[in-house]
Amino acid sequence: MHITAKRCGSCLRSPPPLDQCLTASSYEWPWVDLIARFKFHEQAGWAGSLATLMLSAPGAEDAVDAADWVLPIPLSAQRLAERGYNQSWLLTRQISPRKADAHLLLRTRDTPSQRTLPRAERLANLVGAFAVEPLRASQLRGKNVLLIDDVMTSGASLHTAAQVLRQTGAAKVSALVLARTESSDKA
């Protein structure tokens, strides 16, 4: 099955580092509340159902099949300690246990929460925040990588991670997210 994706004017003028970004739902009610419970209120049990929803997005199964690696957006050690788990890793393990790896893409430092920042500040906030495990960088050269995250607002985290993967030699970097904001000023 071939999915033809539409690109907005901004993406046509300045192509993002992602080859494609697939999404299962809009980030609106009831998903906002459910994702908040999953992410911030120790309700990790939602991972299986939410991953199933993500795999129902048009093109998602094809993207997983085509990927050599399926990687979660990593959390900093501080954020991981606060939450007790990385929600993106829980989704990744459900989506593709054989291709999943939580230690190939690393979070190198803690950053302030992205939730309230405008896009330009989100991008600046993430400079140097991601890196590829140095001893494993060769495993990405020429490979197809699928990034997994729960919510895409401005795309800053996914775009920054994709740039790091491309600089390491990944041939293709796509993303699959549970929910995405629809606001044109943030997307």
Side-chain angles (χ1 to χ4, degrees), residues 38-173:
F38 170 58
K39 188 172 181 173
F40 302 115
H41 300 287
E42 300 176 13
Q43 294 188 12
W46 282 104
S49 298
L50 296 174
T52 299
L53 176 63
M54 291 172 75
L55 286 169
S56 73
E61 288 186 2
D62 291 338
V64 171
D65 289 344
D68 297 300
W69 292 103
V70 181
L71 307 177
I73 291 295
L75 291 179
S76 68
Q78 294 89 332
R79 193 78 31 88
L80 185 59
E82 289 169 14
R83 287 195 194 147
Y85 57 87
N86 177 346
Q87 72 283 352
S88 296
W89 170 239
L90 296 180
L91 294 168
T92 302
R93 277 194 331 204
Q94 294 288 324
I95 288 167
S96 182
R98 290 182 307 107
K99 298 177 182 181
D101 191 310
H103 305 291
L104 191 51
L105 179 63
L106 308 172
R107 187 71 173 240
T108 58
R109 65 181 177 83
D110 191 36
T111 56
S113 174
Q114 296 280 93
R115 289 190 293 171
T116 60
L117 300 176
R119 187 171 201 285
E121 288 181 40
R122 287 174 183 238
L123 289 166
N125 191 30
L126 292 170
V127 170
F130 297 109
V132 169
E133 163 52 56
L135 298 176
R136 298 181 61 205
S138 64
Q139 296 175 6
L140 286 169
R141 287 193 197 102
K143 301 298 182 185
N144 181 346
V145 178
L146 180 64
L147 291 169
I148 303 294
D149 206 1
D150 57 339
V151 177
M152 180 179 181
T153 304
S154 69
S157 295
L158 288 164
H159 287 186
T160 303
Q163 288 170 337
V164 166
L165 293 165
R166 287 194 181 281
Q167 290 166 354
T168 305
K172 183 176 180 184
V173 182

Side-chain angles (χ1 to χ4, degrees), residues 6-58:
K6 295 179 184 175
R7 289 200 175 232
C8 67
S10 176
C11 291
L12 290 171
R13 286 187 299 280
S14 179
L18 290 170
D19 290 290
Q20 66 178 342
C21 183
L22 306 167
T23 186
S25 66
S26 292
Y27 190 55
E28 55 192 24
W29 188 88
W31 304 113
V32 172
D33 295 337
L34 183 66
I35 293 168
R37 281 189 257 154
F38 170 58
K39 188 172 181 173
F40 302 115
H41 300 287
E42 300 176 13
Q43 294 188 12
W46 282 104
S49 298
L50 296 174
T52 299
L53 176 63
M54 291 172 75
L55 286 169
S56 73

